[in-house]
Amino acid sequence: MLEVEGLQKRYKQKTVLENCSLQMKQGEIVGLVGENGAGKSTMLQLLATIMQPTKGEIRLDGLSYKESVKEVRRKIGYVPQDISIWEEFTVEQNMLFFERLSWKKRTQEECRQLCIDMQLTHWKEGVQSLSGGMKRKLNLAISLLHDPILLLLDEPTVGIDLKSKTEIGTYLHSLAKNKGKMIMYTSHDMDEITNVCDRVYSIGKDSFYMDLLQEKGIPVEQLR
Ligand SMILES: Nc1ncnc2c1ncn2[C@@H]1O[C@H](COP(=O)(O)OP(=O)(O)OP(=O)(O)O)[C@@H](O)[C@H]1O
Ligand SMILES: [Mg+2]
């Protein structure tokens, strides 16, 4: 379980997140929506331990982020908004490189299977020659190497064609429902959010997304 209480993030004079509280249970896929600059990436970076909040508490499976950050990190997979893989390597070399950095050991076959699960079959191909969508799939496969319980995905499907989006959505669904992972992800595609997420948090004072998603019958709560 993920528990967030009274989270605040201030960048110098600017307060981006204020008194945000949320929870997630195993097996849930939760969307995070809001206009550009609302604070979605900030929230994911706080949950990914990449930044510290200026106020508030976060706990994952009862572990406090402040007291047990090392242990917490082992349980988190994070895909940043900007793709971060080695362009000059092949898919295989990327997977094996990141496997060596991971605390969990994986065989070459297991690494390959993670890519196949995502319909990424270009094992020997150079990353430079992959499409944007394939690179995103590779980034996602890398984030799963250490079998995290919490997956934080920042716009994982931006610029991806509908077929790949659907494949990724189906895969995320199986990760949550069959393997009990908690998944939080951001997207500006409300159809996708509606199709994939169990429920949604909307960041920001504007009720635009709240209204839109409520109309579609998706449970949504506002964070400020
Ligand atoms: N390192 C930083 N220093 C100062 N301000 C920052 C920093 N990172 C983000 N911000 C500001 O915080 C606000 C929230 O940014 P954030 O990237 O979290 O928004 P977002 O919801 O992810 O937006 P987008 O939809 O464009 O990705 C913005 O106003 C941004 O300018
Ligand atoms: Mg962002």
Side-chain angles (χ1 to χ4, degrees):
M1 187 171 185
L2 176 73
E3 298 158 283
V4 175
E5 270 172 39
L7 210 61
Q8 183 202 62
K9 181 64 190 178
R10 217 177 249 174
Y11 295 112
K12 294 190 180 142
Q13 305 304 334
K14 185 170 184 177
T15 304
V16 177
L17 299 173
E18 182 69 276
N19 201 19
C20 291
S21 298
L22 60 87
Q23 289 99 32
M24 270 182 86
K25 292 199 204 84
Q26 274 193 267
E28 272 195 312
I29 308 185
V30 173
L32 191 60
V33 302
E35 59 191 28
N36 293 131
K40 302 179 296 297
S41 297
T42 300
M43 175 62 90
L44 290 189
Q45 285 170 45
L46 294 173
L47 297 180
T49 75
I50 287 169
M51 286 193 305
Q52 315 295 321
T54 37
K55 261 190 212 169
E57 291 287 334
I58 313 176
R59 280 183 304 277
L60 180 57
D61 285 351
L63 292 171
S64 152
Y65 272 43
K66 281 181 193 152
E67 287 155 22
S68 319
V69 72
K70 267 194 180 169
E71 276 170 88
V72 164
R73 275 193 188 138
R74 290 182 155 212
K75 294 172 177 279
I76 296 174
Y78 168 62
V79 179
Q81 193 164 345
D82 300 315
I83 292 172
S84 55
I85 44 184
W86 295 93
E87 288 277 335
E88 58 273 32
F89 289 176
T90 63
V91 170
E92 177 181 27
Q93 286 166 334
N94 265 282
M95 287 299 283
L96 298 184
F97 172 80
F98 285 104
E99 190 275 336
R100 290 191 66 182
L101 295 184
S102 161
W103 64 274
K104 188 181 165 87
K105 290 301 125 204
R106 295 276 201 174
T107 63
Q108 186 163 350
E109 201 38 50
E110 284 173 323
C111 291
R112 189 171 183 168
Q113 190 59 47
L114 275 174
C115 291
I116 293 171
D117 290 346
M118 227 154 314
Q119 321 282 324
L120 177 63
T121 50
H122 306 64
W123 189 242
K124 294 279 179 194
E125 210 161 304
V127 166
Q128 273 163 343
S129 64
L130 297 183
S131 70
M134 291 170 189
K135 288 181 192 176
R136 294 222 164 251
K137 286 181 175 177
L138 175 56
N139 234 186
L140 197 53
I142 289 168
S143 78
L144 291 168
L145 275 167
H146 59 296
D147 202 16
I149 178 166
L150 173 64
L151 256 184
L152 303 164
L153 312 174
D154 205 345
E155 301 194 26
T157 56
V158 74
I160 290 191
D161 67 60
L162 189 58
K163 181 165 174 278
S164 296
K165 250 187 201 184
T166 311
E167 285 165 358
I168 289 179
T170 306
Y171 184 59
L172 292 181
H173 197 264
S174 78
L175 283 177
K177 305 305 162 190
N178 304 331
K179 298 202 166 160
K181 298 198 186 297
M182 295 180 265
I183 303 175
M184 180 176 279
Y185 89 99
T186 70
S187 173
H188 289 287
D189 181 339
M190 291 305 126
D191 286 334
E192 181 194 335
I193 289 278
T194 313
N195 288 334
V196 178
C197 297
D198 298 309
R199 58 191 182 88
V200 175
Y201 287 108
S202 165
I203 301 193
K205 294 192 180 86
D206 194 338
S207 68
F208 177 80
Y209 291 98
M210 286 284 287
D211 299 343
L212 192 83
L213 289 164
Q214 265 166 356
E215 243 171 58
K216 290 177 183 257
I218 296 283
V220 50
E221 281 176 64
Q222 193 135 15
L223 300 174
R224 280 158 201 275

